[in-house]
Amino acid sequence: ASGPQHHTMYDFAGQAQKRLLKSDDSTLGDQDTDTIRNGILVIDVRYMFDTDQELAARLKKETEDSNLTLTKGFGKSILRLFQRLHLRNIVLAAEGELCALALKLHKVLHEKDSGMISELHLSCPVLTARFINTHLGAPTQENGKKTKPVDVTPLKLLVETMNSRVDILRGFFPSGATEIVGEEQTDNYLLGFAPVSENSGNGEHPECKHGYDADYRSTLGQSLFATQITVEMNRYTKQYERNCEDITKSLTDMIDESHTETDVKTINWSSCETHIGALVLRGNRCILVRSLQHEWIGMRIPSLPRQPEESPADTIGRILVEFTEAGADDVTFLPQVLPVSVFAPNGRPILVHLYAAYATEPPPRDSPLEPDVEDDESTYDWYTYTNAMQKVDAASTTALQIMALNLVQCVKVGIVPTKWGGVFGQEMKMLDVCITTPIAQPLLDE
């Protein structure tokens, strides 16, 4: 993609908004589609892997392996997500090559909890002969006779033409129904949750006339709520936990994705654009910034190109003026804390030299012990190490880890103070060595 783009879930949010909220609004028309009452869960497997090639390889391994179990790091991760969400009576939909993964996932889930999936929707399924022989064609032994396996789950198939794969699926799922639709209809199936009707008017997909409207409220006063859900292992308890992040306000953000496909291995790091980054510290928190003009989505470590004859401390002063309500006099530059290199943050072909600075003014009363508070109308917020790691990209998380270890050494020799809640990074645990002592101490009155 080039130029500013909407959030990746923007188009889907428009369809979800109509299905969840607008189906009963007679002023909008197109009321002939099925209504979804509870919610919609979108699993975007692209973000599970670094490249499309890795995704393709793992999908092939998942669906063509003779092993009937789900693979670690892919199928098992999705299975764990379903189980942790305690889903019931859902419709599982997939398209193309992912239909094989959906069928395999359904089989495992049905064995564990028969009440979880109530119906399957598959659009133009792409199934290899090996997958069919392994998962759909193997006969079972019953009363000394080999019988063909049958699944009683209702199946809805959308295909462009009838073929042998369709016949196999219809035989395996006798309660299924098949619809023959055009190519342009199947392309929009998952986006619109249903095929396009013949009388949609001017030939456009009917949902396209009703994009996402952040201000829309249903007749009952309801609005769309979007959240990003992850299931991750807690490094301390070793238990899987469900984490949710509200992304509703981010749906209308615009982001310039022109550099997201940059191959970082081809960048000449000795001559590329360089920035000075500012890790502004206050107790156990640091500053991350957001763009109120929608220049990017989410939070970043602030940085700016270094001007000729400008010291890192001077650049940090400009960063504070541009990204926060503070100035150079509001921080103390920490030259003894070694800078950390951040390569290609957020996919941008730049090298950031990240320096540390410490706030001169204490936080508001009691705030060091309070949870992080976000203000979407402000250009910046303060985050603890744990929360900051969840807000920034992979390159920045690595830099924060390294900087946290730097701060550990500096605290021990008195270069960085331990006050106002502790020191940034005190929650980090690495190589089973806890570094929270003696760094984390009771709040010191200053």
Side-chain angles (χ1 to χ4, degrees):
S2 60
Q5 303 289 326
H6 277 295
H7 192 282
T8 54
M9 286 290 103
Y10 177 82
D11 289 334
F12 203 97
Q15 324 309 326
Q17 191 175 51
K18 182 180 179 183
R19 289 290 172 171
L20 292 168
L21 303 175
K22 298 181 179 181
S23 58
D24 296 329
D25 192 339
S26 59
T27 64
L28 297 175
D30 297 328
Q31 305 303 307
D32 57 340
T33 53
D34 295 334
T35 301
I36 302 175
R37 294 297 183 187
N38 297 324
I40 300 165
L41 176 66
V42 181
I43 301 177
D44 196 337
V45 298
R46 294 173 300 176
Y47 294 98
M48 299 178 69
F49 306 99
D50 293 332
T51 64
D52 292 340
Q53 292 78 10
E54 184 180 359
L55 168 60
R58 290 299 301 274
L59 182 60
K60 182 177 181 179
K61 176 178 175 61
E62 181 75 68
T63 56
E64 294 193 5
D65 198 322
S66 58
N67 193 341
L68 299 179
T69 61
L70 296 167
T71 61
K72 185 178 181 180
F74 193 15
K76 285 187 177 179
S77 297
I78 300 176
L79 173 66
R80 190 179 300 117
L81 176 65
F82 274 68
Q83 292 174 323
R84 288 299 185 275
L85 293 178
H86 302 289
L87 301 173
R88 303 292 297 175
N89 198 34
I90 66 170
V91 175
L92 179 61
E95 189 173 33
E97 294 179 342
L98 290 176
C99 290
L101 176 60
L103 287 168
K104 190 175 179 181
L105 185 66
H106 161 67
K107 184 176 182 180
V108 176
L109 287 170
H110 187 73
E111 293 174 352
K112 294 179 178 293
D113 184 356
S114 60
M116 182 176 291
I117 298 178
S118 64
E119 192 171 340
L120 276 170
H121 286 190
L122 303 179
S123 176
C124 293
V126 177
L127 307 176
T128 65
R130 178 176 295 183
F131 176 85
I132 291 175
N133 293 333
T134 303
H135 299 279
L136 301 180
T140 59
Q141 196 78 15
E142 184 176 342
N143 297 327
K145 298 181 180 180
K146 290 185 177 181
T147 60
K148 189 175 182 179
V150 172
D151 194 310
V152 297
T153 305
L155 170 68
K156 182 176 182 179
L157 276 173
L158 283 89
V159 296
E160 297 172 20
T161 58
M162 292 293 293
N163 54 60
S164 59
R165 300 292 191 266
V166 174
D167 293 335
I168 293 173
L169 285 171
R170 293 174 70 181
F172 192 82
F173 294 91
S175 301
T178 305
E179 295 184 26
I180 308 298
V181 296
E183 180 179 358
E184 70 282 355
Q185 295 170 298
T186 55
D187 285 344
N188 287 314
Y189 173 68
L190 288 185
L191 191 63
F193 311 116
V196 184
S197 59
E198 295 287 342
N199 54 1
S200 59
N202 57 6
E204 297 179 354
H205 190 279
E207 317 308 275
C208 294
K209 297 183 292 183
H210 306 298
Y212 173 65
D213 181 359
D215 298 321
Y216 179 81
R217 299 294 183 272
S218 70
T219 54
L220 298 178
Q222 297 172 315
S223 62
L224 184 71
F225 174 76
T227 181
Q228 179 174 302
I229 304 174
T230 59
V231 175
E232 299 174 337
M233 178 182 287
N234 185 302
R235 66 175 68 185
Y236 304 113
T237 65
K238 303 302 181 184
Q239 299 296 314
Y240 286 99
E241 296 179 348
R242 180 179 62 187
N243 302 310
C244 300
E245 179 185 356
D246 182 3
I247 62 170
T248 308
K249 292 184 178 179
S250 300
L251 293 175
T252 54
D253 287 349
M254 300 294 292
I255 181 173
D256 188 352
E257 297 182 335
S258 56
H259 299 304
T260 54
E261 299 300 326
T262 300
D263 184 356
V264 295
K265 294 182 179 180
T266 65
I267 298 174
N268 187 339
W269 295 108
S270 61
S271 61
C272 69
E273 179 182 350
T274 59
H275 282 211
I276 296 296
L279 186 68
V280 181
L281 306 169
R282 188 177 68 183
N284 63 334
R285 288 179 166 86
C286 76
I287 280 180
L288 298 179
V289 299
R290 62 172 59 85
S291 173
L292 300 183
Q293 288 74 40
H294 311 307
E295 297 176 7
W296 68 81
I297 292 177
M299 309 301 293
R300 289 182 177 180
I301 299 173
S303 69
L304 285 175
R306 183 177 178 178
Q307 295 181 352
E309 308 300 327
E310 186 178 53
S311 68
D314 293 335
T315 308
I316 288 178
R318 288 197 299 113
I319 290 173
L320 290 170
V321 171
E322 178 161 338
F323 290 102
T324 75
E325 302 167 354
D329 295 337
D330 295 309
V331 300
T332 299
F333 182 62
L334 301 175
Q336 291 87 2
V337 180
L338 296 178
V340 174
S341 297
V342 191
F343 295 92
N346 302 101
R348 295 173 293 165
I350 65 173
L351 172 59
V352 177
H353 300 293
L354 182 62
Y355 287 84
Y358 207 92
T360 57
E361 295 295 325
R365 185 68 177 172
D366 297 332
S367 66
L369 301 180
E370 295 294 327
D372 293 342
V373 177
E374 294 182 298
D375 181 2
D376 292 334
E377 296 182 357
S378 173
T379 56
Y380 72 99
D381 277 314
W382 294 90
Y383 293 94
T384 61
Y385 172 84
T386 302
N387 291 333
M389 293 287 283
Q390 297 177 358
K391 292 292 183 179
V392 296
D393 68 298
S396 299
T397 59
T398 302
L400 291 180
Q401 288 175 325
I402 298 172
M403 184 62 78
L405 293 176
N406 277 352
L407 295 174
V408 171
Q409 298 185 82
C410 294
V411 164
K412 291 180 179 179
V413 297
I415 295 175
V416 175
T418 304
K419 58 181 181 179
W420 302 338
V423 67
F424 181 77
Q426 64 189 25
E427 304 93 342
M428 184 172 66
K429 192 175 184 180
M430 181 172 284
L431 299 178
D432 295 326
V433 178
C434 185
I435 64 171
T436 58
T437 304
I439 300 170
Q441 298 179 5
L443 180 64
L444 302 178
D445 294 331
E446 295 293 323

